[in-house]
């Protein structure tokens, strides 16, 4: 049980938080923590993560980080197989509902060393073309800024990767940049 704000017994600290050595005694070892949820519903989360990962556990960790006093952020992938515009709107509602302090999101770029990336690259799953994923990501940034005007939006390097062939930088609207 919490004895006072920001102080938790070790048994209450989710494994993820304990594994990353976040102090649960109230003494912060960092000011900010970005823990992307990748999808804001349990069903979509399960499609993106191994079976032993839990949406509820990830959400508990995000909420605990906020209770501990961290500037806490989360984020989503944009343009994954099967994702709809309604799903992205649900993600925006999630950011508002959870009252996170920052958001890190970017377009999905398949990687051959991941199960999802292999399925996309082998043609088993379909994703929007790069230009469409770029536009969806920019739409998400605009909508996040419109709905949460003071939130920190971290620039995703994936956004720059997709924007480069179009001859321009797409860092507008963000308040922070994450190195590659």
């Amino acid at each position: 049980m919490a004895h006072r704000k920001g102080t938790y017994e070790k048994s209450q600290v989710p494994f993820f938080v304990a594994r990353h050595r976040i102090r649960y005694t109230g003494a912060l070892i960092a000011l900010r923590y970005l823990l992307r949820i990748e999808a804001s519903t349990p069903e979509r989360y399960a499609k993106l993560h191994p079976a032993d990962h839990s949406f509820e556990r990830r959400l508990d960790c995000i909420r605990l980080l906020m209770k501990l006093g961290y500037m806490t952020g989360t984020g989503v992938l944009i343009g994954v197989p099967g994702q709809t515009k309604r799903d992205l709107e649900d993600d925006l509602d999630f950011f508002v509902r959870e009252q996170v302090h920052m958001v890190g999101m970017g377009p999905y770029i398949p990687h051959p060393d991941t199960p999802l990336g292999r399925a996309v690259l082998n043609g088993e799953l379909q994703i929007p073309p790069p230009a469409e994923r770029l536009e969806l990501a920019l739409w998400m940034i605009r909508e996040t800024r419109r709905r949460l005007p003071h939130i920190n939006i971290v620039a995703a390097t994936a956004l720059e990767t997709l924007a480069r062939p179009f001859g321009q930088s797409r860092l507008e609207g963000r308040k922070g940049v994450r190195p590659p």
Side-chain angles (χ1 to χ4, degrees), residues 6-162:
T7 303
Y8 293 80
E9 292 181 21
K10 189 172 184 175
S11 63
Q12 289 183 283
V13 178
F15 173 74
F16 178 85
V17 173
R19 182 169 56 109
H20 288 279
R21 297 185 182 102
I22 294 172
R23 295 188 187 204
Y24 46 83
T25 60
L28 299 180
I29 59 171
L31 299 175
R32 297 175 184 89
Y33 202 103
L34 178 66
L35 179 58
R36 286 178 43 150
I37 200 144
E38 306 299 7
S40 64
T41 65
E43 300 78 24
R44 288 191 300 119
Y45 181 91
K47 291 179 182 179
L48 297 173
H49 293 86
D52 65 341
H53 287 218
S54 162
F55 174 83
E56 290 77 18
R57 183 75 160 194
R58 180 70 56 105
L59 186 55
D60 286 347
C61 288
I62 291 168
R63 290 174 175 163
L64 177 60
L65 288 163
M66 290 175 68
K67 284 181 185 176
L68 291 173
Y70 287 88
M71 177 183 282
T72 305
T74 193
V76 296
L77 282 171
I78 302 165
V80 294
Q83 187 178 57
T84 66
K85 189 94 172 229
R86 179 68 235 166
D87 293 331
L88 294 173
E89 290 170 353
D90 290 344
D91 294 338
L92 291 164
D93 292 341
F94 174 82
F95 300 152
V96 172
R97 184 175 60 252
E98 292 301 319
Q99 299 179 349
V100 294
H101 307 110
M102 58 186 166
V103 172
M105 57 189 164
Y108 173 65
I109 298 176
H111 192 282
D113 290 340
T114 66
L116 183 61
R118 282 191 296 276
V120 169
L121 296 171
N122 292 335
E124 300 165 33
L125 294 173
Q126 301 298 312
I127 60 173
E132 189 176 330
R133 283 181 281 142
L134 177 63
E135 287 309 313
L136 282 171
L138 294 173
W139 177 82
M140 281 291 285
I141 291 167
R142 284 191 302 272
E143 282 300 301
T144 301
R145 179 63 61 221
R146 186 180 68 77
R147 294 181 190 197
L148 298 163
H150 301 293
I151 198 165
N152 286 312
I153 301 176
V154 179
T157 53
L159 190 64
E160 285 298 303
T161 300
L162 286 187

